[in-house]
């Protein structure tokens, strides 16, 4: 499957569009019945701009002639130094969204490939993700596997 978009690292000036897409992404989770928003897209825009500027949350976007149509973020999870082995970072893959017209056209695969190449080049030990039912097949096709090592404690806050 090929894609007719360009994948590139996100830049701070992309923050407005990324915030807009974040809102569309989350509204889709609620199937058109989203509750009243607790925060504004402008707050998300500032948050995203700050993270892209700081480098701790790199992201990639897919663009067509119409602009950004997809994105994925990577959060660096650092590990404490240890005396007897590597303490390579883990990457948390999150906020992966492809607009509906661009789905099943290779856009998501291209984004995930760019993120994975970056993580390998940066010496990450692994990548982790909490996939949705819809995104699970993409991650599995890309080599992600279930882990028996990860545990989660919901804090019910």
């Amino acid at each position: 499957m090929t894609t007719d978009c360009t994948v590139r690292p996100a830049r701070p000036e992309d923050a407005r569009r990324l915030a807009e897409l974040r809102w569309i992404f989350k509204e889709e989770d609620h199937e058109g019945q989203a509750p009243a928003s607790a925060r504004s897209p402008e707050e998300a825009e500032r948050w995203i701009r700050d993270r892209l500027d700081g480098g701790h949350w790199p992201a990639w976007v897919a663009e067509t002639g119409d602009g950004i149509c997809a994105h994925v973020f990577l959060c660096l999870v650092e590990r404490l130094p240890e005396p007897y082995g590597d303490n390579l970072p883990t990457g948390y893959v999150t906020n992966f969204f492809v607009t509906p017209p661009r789905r099943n056209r290779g856009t998501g695969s291209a984004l995930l490939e760019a993120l994975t190449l970056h993580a390998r080049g940066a010496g990450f030990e692994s990548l982790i993700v909490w996939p949705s039912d819809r995104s699970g097949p993409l991650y599995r096709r890309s080599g992600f596997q279930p882990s028996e090592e990860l545990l989660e404690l919901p804090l019910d806050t």
Side-chain angles (χ1 to χ4, degrees):
M1 185 174 299
T2 61
T3 182
D4 57 346
C5 62
T6 301
V7 172
R8 64 166 174 80
R11 301 181 291 256
E13 56 267 25
D14 298 324
R16 178 179 299 273
R17 178 63 177 152
L18 295 174
E20 291 169 359
L21 289 173
R22 174 72 176 166
W23 258 230
I24 294 167
F25 174 26
K26 298 317 289 181
E27 287 172 357
E28 200 175 84
D29 285 349
H30 292 279
E31 298 177 2
Q33 302 297 320
S37 181
R39 52 185 52 91
S40 70
E42 291 78 21
E43 183 180 341
E45 179 183 346
R46 284 189 299 275
W47 189 96
I48 291 168
R49 182 176 287 111
D50 289 348
R51 291 340 180 258
L52 291 175
D53 238 355
H56 196 74
W57 281 80
W60 289 262
V61 298
E63 290 183 300
T64 65
D66 296 329
I68 295 173
C69 61
H71 57 75
V72 63
F73 285 71
L74 178 64
C75 179
L76 171 69
V77 180
E78 295 179 290
R79 295 177 53 199
L80 290 169
E82 61 175 86
Y84 306 111
D86 291 331
N87 62 321
L88 301 174
T90 294
Y92 168 45
V93 179
T94 189
N95 196 37
F96 196 163
F97 180 69
V98 177
T99 57
R102 301 298 311 170
R103 292 179 186 158
N104 300 311
R105 297 175 67 180
T107 303
S109 295
L111 280 170
L112 196 53
E113 181 180 351
L115 181 148
T116 302
L117 285 171
H118 169 82
R120 281 195 173 108
F124 282 47
E125 179 178 44
S126 62
L127 296 173
I128 60 172
V129 66
W130 279 270
S132 65
D133 290 340
R134 187 176 62 219
S135 67
L138 169 64
Y139 288 113
R140 285 190 291 282
R141 281 193 310 271
S142 298
F144 283 73
Q145 305 167 22
S147 171
E148 295 180 14
E149 297 178 10
L150 185 64
L151 301 176
E152 178 182 8
L153 173 63
L155 298 175
D156 298 326
T157 54

